[in-house]
Amino acid sequence: MDFDPAELLAKPLMAYLATDSPNGPRSSPVWFLWEEDAVWLIGNKEDSFPKRLRADPRCAVSVVDFDIGRGVLRHVGIRGRARILPLDQTRLHRLLVRYLGSDPQAWNTWFRTNVVDGLELMIRITPETTIVKDMSYFKTGPDFAE
């Protein structure tokens, strides 16, 4: 491994969930939480990606840390199978705090009402394979990598 993937997965970055559908592959940007050696996602019964995962639980999750100014380009790719689970309010809170801050009262009221309050399920993706790549030397070449 180029670096410890837990280091990148601890950051509040966007992940991309790749799934299959009868009409071909799909990609969904998602917030995530890395806990218990699994990727946790949130959703509701109307979201399209939980419907696709119910039909075919095979999926991939990609998380990229990219900062062109600093020359950072690190990637964690996870392939596994998803399980749709009931919403765990404690885990949901930990996930949302990563992106929205520690004080739920300060979260945008519209977002809480229209998105957070409608969440009904969690998705656990347990890695079968994990790819970890650090390409941070893309600007300077490998001899000058940090």
Side-chain angles (χ1 to χ4, degrees):
M1 276 190 216
D2 288 1
F3 62 92
D4 180 0
E7 181 184 328
L8 187 141
L9 296 171
K11 294 181 174 190
L13 300 169
M14 290 300 298
Y16 289 89
L17 171 67
T19 56
D20 194 17
S21 81
N23 297 315
R26 299 290 185 258
S27 177
S28 303
V30 292
W31 287 353
F32 73 97
L33 181 65
W34 175 255
E35 284 188 348
E36 299 177 6
D37 295 323
V39 174
W40 294 87
L41 309 177
I42 49 179
N44 64 54
K45 295 174 184 158
E46 300 305 314
D47 288 335
S48 57
F49 67 89
K51 292 176 184 176
R52 291 191 301 272
L53 290 170
R54 279 193 182 92
D56 184 348
R58 296 174 303 156
C59 60
V61 175
S62 186
V63 182
V64 176
D65 187 4
F66 179 65
D67 183 330
I68 196 165
R70 293 184 352 210
V72 173
L73 177 54
R74 299 186 320 160
H75 169 256
V76 174
I78 294 171
R79 294 181 199 109
R81 293 182 181 274
R83 288 182 46 216
I84 310 293
L85 301 168
L87 189 66
D88 175 328
Q89 289 293 331
T90 304
R91 183 169 279 127
L92 170 65
H93 179 76
R94 287 193 302 273
L95 188 153
L96 292 174
V97 161
R98 287 168 48 91
Y99 296 94
L100 300 173
S102 60
D103 180 9
Q105 298 307 314
W107 298 350
N108 178 283
T109 303
W110 178 92
F111 186 80
R112 288 181 65 183
T113 301
N114 292 284
V115 177
V116 174
D117 292 348
L119 296 171
E120 316 175 271
L121 55 87
M122 299 200 95
I123 298 163
R124 178 186 177 130
I125 301 168
T126 304
E128 294 174 357
T129 61
T130 302
I131 305 298
V132 179
K133 287 288 182 191
D134 188 344
M135 298 295 292
S136 294
Y137 52 82
F138 73 96
K139 288 179 82 173
T140 60
D143 293 340
F144 300 102
E146 295 179 343

